[in-house]
Each structure stands twice: as structure tokens, then as C-alpha cells.
Amino acid sequence: MDLNKLLEFKYTPEINEKLVDYGFTKTFAEGDIILNENAYIKAIPIVMSGSIRVMRTDDDDREILLYYIKAGESCIMSFLGGIHQDTSKVKAIAEEATEILFIPIDKVNLLIKDYPEWLDYIFRLYHKRFEELLDVVNAIAFKKLDERLLDFIKKKCSINNNKTLIITHESIANELGTARVVVSRLLKQMEQEGLVVLGRNKIILN
Amino acid sequence: MDLNKLLEFKYTPEINEKLVDYGFTKTFAEGDIILNENAYIKAIPIVMSGSIRVMRTDDDDREILLYYIKAGESCIMSFLGGIHQDTSKVKAIAEEATEILFIPIDKVNLLIKDYPEWLDYIFRLYHKRFEELLDVVNAIAFKKLDERLLDFIKKKCSINNNKTLIITHESIANELGTARVVVSRLLKQMEQEGLVVLGRNKIILN
DNA sequence: TTAAAACGGTAACATATGTCACATATTGAT
DNA sequence: ATCAATATGTGACATATGTTACCGTTTTAA
């Protein structure tokens, strides 16, 4: 396994070797729950292929999408949670078939000590997540649902590099933290405006 | 200057000395803008006394409160921004008279290399901010304004350790990202329910 | 002292979103 | 083919929040 192209930090063969050596790989199918809220964290995950979506859930089962984790990235919340022996505050779900390399927490600390690039990688990811979270705050606080919905569709499409989304109104509603009827209503509107074409389980972006 | 009690990581005289040595101190009055959005970051701030509030602003001047930074804590966004030569995505304002120790970015990197406790301090703060941000997402996404308003008042009170808040409806509205009339309306309601007592520039929590 | 500015109260209304109820269409299982 | 489950469409209505307008009161500045 060669992490060179995946991870964004400067490659050294040693780090690669160490990571593969220390870690273990697991695969997940679409929809599998990788990390549950309040679960204890013993290893931090690096996405090797596929992608993950990270959700925040409310007390009464309402959820909202925070961000996606793509190949080469790590769930940085797990990382910090792991370091501080904390439980997870978020839920992670496989968006598609996904392969994950888990690095046990104690090994992570070893790596930090020995390889500054590794630390830099972690900081960079942290920064990225933080900004994405700020964007979420912005969206919920200041944007209306129709705009958020359109953004959502576009983002999903860009992940698959595809104009056609296979998804139900129901699950869109869940990810945006609203109700199914609301999504249906807005989508119908968008269809009339010519922004999308709708079908059962299907949305085509124009 | 002794940072022992302020910073939460294990104290060593060397770190203390280095920090004071590398850094420079500035003082701010209530309402002073410490960091503006899109400003370049050349040093990371550690709050020695007083407190700061960090806001996210929209394109059209709407703002929303993210979190407070209290004595002993650092604005971690600045930290990451600084490391990656980025501009700030947030705005920081002095809540009260505040004294800040600025550590230049290059020195920060030196310290990380030499003192693992310092790195741990940074990670811990990061974790804290991240979770606070998650709470903000939760609040905006799932809570109604009256609840957020009450939470806001309680939090402000707890900072000053005081049941009386000196603040205008206008500025509350700004921090919550809503309009003045809305805040006035809800406050009046809360007063009728016996939750608070209102006065000009004043809210007393029962 | 007087004018201007800041602060808060309130009504009326607009709009976005949530909720309920029910209809229809599509799919899948038996 | 039939039935059940799932996905969607739609109307009617409730509610939360945003907006505008205008008022009186208090504070501040000239």
C-alpha cells in the first residue's frame, strides 16, 4: 500500500511503512455506520478509498450533515477524541464502499514525535474541518433552505462527478435537518424553474 | 509574569520563560476589535486576562457568535491560520478590558518541537473549540430562538459571575444573528413568564 | 436647556418552514 | 396478480421569525 498520492504531506518511505505497519484495514459498505455517537475511540481512521459523511445528531433523532471525508483524509474529531480518551460527538457513515486504515491512538503519538510532516498533516486537516464547520454555521444561520438544498445537490454530484443523484427526498431531509415534505416542495419548485429534473429516487442537475 | 495558573498544561519554568521571552503583550479595551475577518495572522494570541468573543460574519454584515475565549486560552483559529499563512475567517472582539500575549508564529513552531506539553495544550484547545462549534451548529439547527436567547443570557452571566447583564437588545440580536425587534419581543415574553426582569441596557436573570 | 441619538415597546404584516392528512405512483415480495 | 411497502405530490394550516413603521422614554451632546 502506497499512501504517497493519498496523503497530502511530503512523502517519506518511512512514514508510509510505519502507517501501514501500525495500522489495520477495514472495509465498509454503503450506509454502514463507522462511528456512532458516544462511542469510545481507540484508533483514528484514514480513508483509503471511498468517502464518509459526518453527521451531528440531536437528542430527538434529528441529524444534520457536517462534512464529507474523502480519500486521503482522516476524521480529525476522532483523532482529538482519541488523544483525550473522549467519546465521539458525531456519527460517521460510509457514503459508498469505503476502505479505511485505522491507526491505534498510541501509535499516532509515536508518529507525531518522530515525524513533523505527520503533525503538519494533522494540523492541515484540522484547519480544513474547522472551516467547513464554519461554513455549515453560515449556511444554517444565514441561508434559506432552497439555497442550502441546491448547494447540497451540487456537492453530492461533485463527489460522484455525476449529474445524476440517486437519493430519496427523505434522506435529503435528514441530512439537511428538515422534513421530507419541505424538501419535496422545494424540489418541485426547482424543477419548475428548470434547475433540476426529478424522478423516483433520482435528481438530475441541469 | 507566571503562566502557571492560566495555562492548563503541566507547568515547566522553561516554557513559561520562553513564552514570555518570545511574546509581546498588548491590552485592549471593551469593544476593541482584536482580529478582523480576512486579516493576515502573524502571531497567535493567548488571553492573559479578560475575555474575547469570536464571531462569524456573513457577506451582508450579519454576524453570529461562535464562542468566547477566556483567560489562559488561545484563539486556535488564528493558530492554524498562522501556521498555514492563511487569513482569518472570523472576527475577534474584546468583551471587556483584555490583556493578550502574542506569540509569533515561527516561535510557536519552535516551541512545539521542544515541548510536547505545549502541543498538548494546543490540541486540547482545538478539541474544545471544535465541540463548541458543534454546539453552535446544534443550537442554530435545532433550537428555537427563545431557548437560544435564554442560553445566551445565562452564559453571559456566568462569565461575569453576575445575575445582571448590561447589554442592549440590539447587540444581543447581532450576536444571535437576528433582529432587534425579535429579541425585544422574546425578552418581553420572558419577563411576563417571570424568567427575567428588564431595564434599559439591563437584564436581570431570576 | 434643547436637540439629537440611542433604546425599547408594539402592532401589523410577510415569509419561510414545520406539520398533518391524504392521494397517487412505483416498486418489490408472495 | 395482488398486496404491502416505499416514494412522492399537494392542500390546508400552524408557527416562528423577519420586516416595516411608528411611538414614547431615556441618555447624551451641543
Side-chain angles (χ1 to χ4, degrees):
Chain A
M1 184 155 32
D2 184 351
L3 304 174
N4 190 10
K5 280 152 215 149
L6 277 180
L7 307 189
E8 288 170 23
F9 62 83
K10 284 245 186 322
Y11 174 77
T12 71
E14 296 148 85
I15 299 183
N16 186 84
E17 198 184 320
K18 294 273 182 185
L19 283 176
V20 174
D21 196 38
Y22 288 157
F24 54 97
T25 303
K26 271 193 190 174
T27 57
F28 296 87
E30 183 185 336
D32 279 2
I33 293 178
I34 296 166
L35 179 74
N36 227 321
E37 211 147 7
N38 295 322
Y40 271 95
I41 299 154
K42 295 178 295 270
I44 77 147
I46 298 178
V47 176
M48 304 307 295
S49 67
S51 59
I52 295 175
R53 72 166 179 276
V54 177
M55 315 273 300
R56 170 74 165 171
T57 63
D58 191 45
D59 299 326
D60 15 285
D61 285 353
R62 282 182 300 189
E63 304 186 316
I64 194 160
L65 172 68
L66 298 179
Y67 46 73
Y68 298 100
I69 301 176
K70 299 179 197 170
E73 299 177 343
S74 167
C75 178
I76 215 63
M77 269 309 282
S78 318
F79 170 70
L80 274 203
I83 279 191
H84 298 117
Q85 322 249 2
D86 217 347
T87 58
S88 175
K89 298 294 181 299
V90 297
K91 186 170 144 190
I93 300 161
E95 270 279 295
E96 51 192 313
T98 297
E99 195 186 10
I100 297 182
L101 176 67
F102 285 92
I103 318 282
I105 295 297
D106 50 336
K107 308 297 183 190
V108 172
N109 285 323
L110 277 183
L111 287 169
I112 287 180
K113 212 167 288 170
D114 295 340
Y115 303 99
E117 314 91 295
W118 171 245
L119 180 60
D120 196 55
Y121 165 75
I122 289 170
F123 275 143
R124 194 155 25 211
L125 267 183
Y126 234 113
H127 198 45
K128 186 173 180 182
R129 294 295 166 243
F130 214 97
E131 296 200 343
E132 283 176 325
L133 218 44
L134 285 180
D135 287 341
V136 172
V137 170
N138 238 293
I140 317 180
F142 302 126
K143 289 187 182 178
K144 285 190 287 182
L145 249 185
D146 50 356
E147 196 177 344
R148 288 175 57 208
L149 179 55
L150 195 55
D151 287 348
F152 174 87
I153 293 171
K154 284 178 181 168
K155 190 178 277 181
K156 280 267 188 190
C157 282
S158 84
I159 287 181
N160 313 327
N161 221 7
N162 197 324
K163 288 285 185 189
T164 301
L165 255 191
I166 303 301
I167 195 171
T168 67
H169 299 183
E170 179 84 40
S171 57
I172 294 179
N174 283 338
E175 301 201 28
L176 291 181
T178 180
R180 198 269 312 169
V181 263
V182 177
V183 171
S184 294
R185 187 160 59 204
L186 291 175
L187 280 174
K188 212 55 196 171
Q189 228 172 273
M190 287 165 58
E191 190 178 40
Q192 276 155 12
E193 292 165 9
L195 293 170
V196 294
V197 177
L198 303 178
R200 188 187 171 90
N201 294 323
K202 186 167 53 168
I203 299 173
I204 303 167
L205 191 60
N206 280 340
Chain B
M1 185 156 29
D2 185 351
L3 303 174
N4 191 10
K5 281 153 214 149
L6 278 179
L7 307 188
E8 286 171 25
F9 62 83
K10 283 246 186 321
Y11 173 77
T12 72
E14 298 148 84
I15 298 183
N16 185 82
E17 199 184 322
K18 296 272 183 187
L19 283 176
V20 175
D21 197 38
Y22 288 156
F24 54 96
T25 304
K26 271 193 189 176
T27 56
F28 296 86
E30 183 185 335
D32 280 2
I33 293 178
I34 296 166
L35 179 73
N36 227 321
E37 210 147 6
N38 296 321
Y40 272 96
I41 298 154
K42 295 178 297 271
I44 77 146
I46 298 178
V47 176
M48 303 307 295
S49 66
S51 58
I52 296 175
R53 71 165 179 275
V54 177
M55 316 273 302
R56 170 74 165 172
T57 64
D58 191 44
D59 298 327
D60 15 287
D61 285 354
R62 281 181 300 188
E63 304 186 317
I64 194 160
L65 172 68
L66 297 178
Y67 45 75
Y68 298 101
I69 301 176
K70 299 180 197 171
E73 300 178 343
S74 168
C75 178
I76 216 65
M77 271 308 283
S78 319
F79 171 70
L80 274 204
I83 280 191
H84 299 118
Q85 321 248 5
D86 217 347
T87 58
S88 174
K89 298 293 182 299
V90 296
K91 186 170 143 192
I93 300 161
E95 270 279 296
E96 51 192 312
T98 297
E99 196 186 8
I100 297 182
L101 176 67
F102 285 94
I103 318 282
I105 295 298
D106 50 337
K107 307 298 182 190
V108 172
N109 285 323
L110 277 184
L111 286 170
I112 287 180
K113 212 167 288 169
D114 296 339
Y115 302 98
E117 314 90 296
W118 171 245
L119 180 60
D120 196 56
Y121 165 75
I122 288 169
F123 275 143
R124 194 154 25 208
L125 267 183
Y126 234 114
H127 198 46
K128 187 172 178 181
R129 295 295 166 245
F130 214 96
E131 296 200 342
E132 282 175 325
L133 218 44
L134 286 180
D135 287 341
V136 172
V137 170
N138 238 294
I140 317 180
F142 302 125
K143 289 186 181 180
K144 285 191 288 182
L145 250 186
D146 51 355
E147 196 177 345
R148 287 175 57 208
L149 179 55
L150 195 55
D151 286 349
F152 174 87
I153 294 171
K154 284 178 182 167
K155 191 178 277 182
K156 281 266 188 190
C157 282
S158 83
I159 287 180
N160 313 325
N161 221 6
N162 196 325
K163 288 284 185 189
T164 302
L165 255 190
I166 303 301
I167 195 170
T168 67
H169 298 181
E170 180 84 42
S171 58
I172 294 178
N174 284 338
E175 301 200 29
L176 292 181
T178 180
R180 197 269 312 168
V181 265
V182 177
V183 171
S184 294
R185 186 160 57 204
L186 290 176
L187 279 175
K188 212 56 195 170
Q189 229 173 272
M190 286 165 59
E191 191 179 37
Q192 277 156 11
E193 292 167 9
L195 293 170
V196 294
V197 177
L198 303 177
R200 187 185 172 92
N201 294 322
K202 188 169 52 170
I203 299 172
I204 303 168
L205 192 60
N206 281 338

